Amino acid sequence: MKESPSIADYLTSRLKIEGIEYLFGVPGDYALPLFSAFRKGGIETINTCDEQGAGFAADAYARVRGMGAVCVTYCVGGLKIVNAVAEAYAEKSAVVVLSGAPGMAERKKDSLLHHKVRNFETQRKIFEEITVGATVLDNPDTAASEIDRLLDLARRYHRPVYIEVPRDLMLVPCRPPSTRRESEASDPQALTEALEEARQMLLASRCPLILADVELHRFGLQKELVQLTETTGIPVAATLLGKSVIAETHPHYIGVYEGATGRAEVNDYVEASDCLLLLGVFLTDITVGGSSSSLDMSRSIYATSEKLSIRHHSFEGVRLEDFVRGLLKLGIQKRVLPGIAARRTEPTTRSSARPQDRITVQSLFAEINQILSPEIVVIADVGEALFGASDLVIREPTEFLSPAYYASLGFAIPASLGAALANPRLRPLVLVGDGAFQMTGMELSTAARFGLSPIVVLLNNRGYSTERQILDGPFNDLLEWNYCRLPELLGTGRACQVRTNQELEETLQAALSQKDSFWLIEVRLNPHDRSPALERLAKRLAPQQRAGH
């Protein structure tokens, strides 16, 4: 008779079935048996410098691979990843949070065990607010079915889940479920009616447009998007959060729509459409630039994993995947409007700046645009790094990652760990400001330990440039670090400071040719230099700030 697996072993096997080969975290006494089980079961654990870094790394791994996992100890570890998990929830990334916890028996004997905050339910209650499911595996008879239920929720909704494992139950045998839960299907009648109404609306339109966003990334529908635009002839725009949902060299792609912060030619085209096909779109102030009112929902087909509406009609029980694939079967063919490809501008083409000139934000991103290739994944942190990167031309789908909605500083460098391990074919090019770097930049130590080689372009404008543009003051300043001495501290890696366009070009080429360690390129920028996107954003936010909002 086959021996039942322990809870830890069953959890390990299920994570492997979900495609998780690497797991991020920081060890602690309550979680040590889990780390041991993962290693024994063939999942390599990447222990980061800090738990928040582990959370960001797991988030990026999930964005590239479909699901990621992070393992921490009770409260002192778990509560440190709350911010990263909140970002994964807000931006729909399937991160499995695994936490060791005090044993059930010892909880009864000692109410003042170390790391406890208020009571033994405190951590679980907190994670219930930022996950689609939370559980404590306190019963060996139901532990396996609970693990399956939570992983199914993560896969179904592409949002985080929380699994807490008391340490005295980790090695206890559990009972694997006899059957697996079947995936939910769309309501066939609702799907048929929705597709028919969408067909009629698309056929009657003169200038339809697809606005594609992050959920097409998360649900693996990029190929269907390409098929849809190529079979129908309908052009595509993306949001900033959904940037690279389609190769930005595709002839039907017109650019990033950012509403009030975007380029006028893209905004005008999107907002003039008489039939907007919004696929997986988050209508947030950042991703559409605060101008969601410019998108007339009476002219829209709005499909996400949680909602489907056509004009003002709502349809219940229709899955996003089924609706998108159903659109492919409608046989719609629209003529792409003449000159659409010519309308698409390339604002980051090589600038006219001279090699000996000081680097500007414009010349920096123009040079970066020249080196992008299908072997590079761009990871942009919040601030000027993100706004300047919005006009980069990404050659392949899912080769641009950013926290463009939740917008937490410090995402990019730890995210480069997850992205590199999720797809070793891609080399991360990290764009990060000095403020974000001072939060999580030491995760380059983790990159060095595990043989990863991100290229980090550090935009040093000596403080928080976005906030300076809105409301300046000494609270936006930072202590100057000697960033280029970081390899000396870590004993590996390369770093240099660049000030001119020629120095930047030569250093980027050197970094591309040497892949044996990380590169840190500190770009000295004028603190008052701005990208066009940041200028537009600041003009929109400044009146709100003055009004006290």
Side-chain angles (χ1 to χ4, degrees):
M1 186 174 179
K2 187 175 180 181
E3 185 178 348
S4 296
S6 68
I7 292 176
D9 287 342
Y10 185 78
L11 178 58
T12 302
S13 66
R14 288 291 287 111
L15 292 174
K16 291 190 70 175
I17 290 172
E18 295 294 343
I20 293 174
E21 298 179 287
Y22 296 92
L23 180 144
F24 305 87
V26 176
D29 59 342
Y30 290 124
L32 285 175
L34 285 178
F35 280 87
S36 179
F38 297 143
R39 184 182 183 193
K40 184 178 68 175
I43 297 178
E44 184 171 357
T45 55
I46 308 297
N47 52 304
T48 53
C49 298
D50 183 75
E51 285 87 353
Q52 180 173 238
F56 284 143
D59 181 0
Y61 190 95
R63 294 179 191 222
V64 175
R65 198 69 170 262
M67 189 178 291
V70 58
C71 185
V72 292
T73 195
Y74 188 63
C75 285
V76 293
L79 300 185
K80 288 181 76 175
I81 62 167
V82 164
N83 181 59
V85 176
E87 181 164 273
Y89 182 92
E91 299 190 357
K92 289 219 163 180
S93 185
V95 174
V96 181
V97 180
L98 307 165
S99 176
M104 301 307 295
E106 61 187 324
R107 298 184 194 200
K108 297 175 182 177
K109 295 179 181 178
D110 188 352
S111 62
L112 294 178
L113 291 170
H114 63 286
H115 298 339
K116 193 183 81 166
V117 180
R118 182 173 180 177
N119 55 52
F120 290 113
E121 289 74 44
T122 297
Q123 180 170 280
R124 175 185 54 79
K125 289 178 180 178
I126 289 171
F127 276 95
E128 283 177 348
E129 292 295 316
I130 54 173
T131 63
V132 290
T135 190
V136 178
L137 303 183
D138 54 6
N139 184 344
D141 291 335
T142 60
S145 60
E146 277 292 276
I147 290 169
D148 286 358
R149 181 178 72 84
L150 270 291
L151 294 181
D152 287 345
L153 284 172
R155 192 187 323 103
R156 167 70 179 88
Y157 294 103
H158 285 266
R159 278 186 159 142
V161 294
Y162 172 79
I163 300 175
E164 182 177 310
V165 193
R167 64 175 169 181
D168 60 354
L169 295 181
M170 292 177 185
L171 304 182
V172 173
C174 63
R175 182 187 305 166
S178 55
T179 58
R180 289 289 308 280
R181 185 180 286 105
E182 295 293 329
S183 298
E184 296 179 17
S186 293
D187 179 323
Q189 184 174 350
L191 176 61
T192 299
E193 291 179 4
L195 288 171
E196 176 56 25
E197 187 166 343
R199 186 184 72 84
Q200 293 178 15
M201 188 172 175
L202 287 165
L203 287 175
S205 64
R206 291 181 56 256
C207 50
L209 179 104
I210 300 169
L211 183 59
D213 199 1
V214 64
E215 284 200 325
L216 298 189
H217 281 292
R218 303 294 187 260
F219 287 85
L221 295 170
Q222 298 98 319
K223 290 182 180 178
E224 285 82 353
L225 174 62
V226 172
Q227 290 177 323
L228 185 61
T229 184
E230 291 180 350
T231 57
T232 64
I234 301 174
V236 179
T239 67
L240 187 55
L241 185 59
K243 184 176 172 65
S244 82
V245 68
I246 188 172
E248 296 182 345
T249 53
H250 193 285
H252 291 185
Y253 176 74
I254 67 168
V256 173
Y257 174 72
E258 301 173 75
T261 63
R263 291 184 283 126
E265 64 273 16
V266 178
N267 294 355
D268 292 346
Y269 196 95
V270 172
E271 292 167 11
S273 171
D274 62 347
C275 182
L276 268 177
L277 183 52
L278 305 169
L279 297 180
V281 174
F282 283 13
L283 295 176
T284 73
D285 61 339
I286 297 296
T287 55
V288 296
S291 66
S292 59
S293 60
S294 300
L295 303 180
D296 186 350
M297 300 311 289
S298 68
R299 296 182 285 124
S300 299
I301 300 168
Y302 183 35
T304 71
S305 65
E306 298 174 6
K307 178 180 181 179
L308 173 60
S309 62
I310 300 177
R311 296 188 177 97
H312 298 296
H313 303 159
S314 295
F315 297 85
E316 299 295 330
V318 178
R319 291 168 62 95
L320 175 65
E321 307 96 304
D322 295 335
F323 183 73
V324 171
R325 289 165 184 151
L327 291 172
L328 290 170
K329 301 175 183 178
L330 296 180
I332 294 171
Q333 292 186 345
K334 305 294 286 187
R335 181 172 61 89
V336 177
L337 296 181
I340 184 172
R343 256 194 212 91
R344 183 179 65 212
T345 61
E346 305 290 359
T348 51
T349 52
R350 189 178 294 276
S351 69
S352 58
R354 297 172 299 176
Q356 66 271 26
D357 286 347
R358 182 174 177 173
I359 300 168
T360 63
V361 172
Q362 181 181 5
S363 68
L364 167 64
F365 284 97
E367 190 59 49
I368 289 173
N369 203 51
Q370 300 303 312
I371 68 167
L372 296 184
S373 72
E375 288 72 47
I376 289 176
V377 55
V378 176
I379 306 176
D381 218 302
V382 178
E384 188 66 280
L386 175 58
F387 295 119
S390 64
D391 290 325
L392 294 176
V393 179
I394 307 300
R395 272 63 171 176
E396 297 290 332
T398 318
E399 292 195 356
F400 182 89
L401 303 179
S402 76
Y405 165 44
Y406 186 74
S408 176
L409 284 171
F411 170 80
I413 289 180
S416 74
L417 309 174
L421 292 169
N423 187 349
R425 181 183 68 82
L426 299 178
R427 189 177 187 188
L429 175 65
V430 176
L431 305 172
V432 60
D434 49 341
F437 187 92
Q438 290 194 13
M439 294 182 181
T440 58
M442 287 311 297
E443 294 299 349
L444 284 178
S445 172
T446 310
R449 181 185 172 199
F450 290 97
L452 305 176
S453 57
I455 300 171
V456 178
V457 179
L458 171 61
L459 284 66
N460 187 353
N461 43 29
R462 298 187 284 287
Y464 299 112
S465 61
T466 305
E467 281 74 10
R468 275 199 187 115
Q469 186 75 353
I470 300 167
L471 180 64
D472 203 1
F475 38 77
N476 293 321
D477 297 336
L478 293 170
L479 178 69
E480 280 280 319
W481 287 12
N482 194 336
Y483 299 99
C484 292
R485 298 192 69 179
L486 187 59
E488 183 181 337
L489 173 66
L490 299 179
T492 187
R494 293 178 174 85
C496 65
Q497 185 183 99
V498 296
R499 294 176 180 268
T500 69
N501 295 308
Q502 183 173 350
E503 291 173 347
L504 174 64
E505 180 181 2
E506 292 173 351
T507 304
L508 285 172
Q509 291 301 324
L512 288 171
S513 64
Q514 298 173 0
K515 303 179 180 180
D516 57 333
S517 67
F518 71 82
W519 270 80
L520 176 60
I521 303 171
E522 180 191 356
V523 181
R524 299 288 292 190
L525 294 168
N526 184 323
H528 303 290
D529 190 15
R530 302 285 186 269
S531 68
L534 182 53
E535 292 278 6
R536 293 189 293 266
L537 178 67
K539 287 178 182 178
R540 179 172 65 82
L541 293 180
Q544 299 176 19
Q545 181 65 37
R546 287 195 294 270
H549 294 299

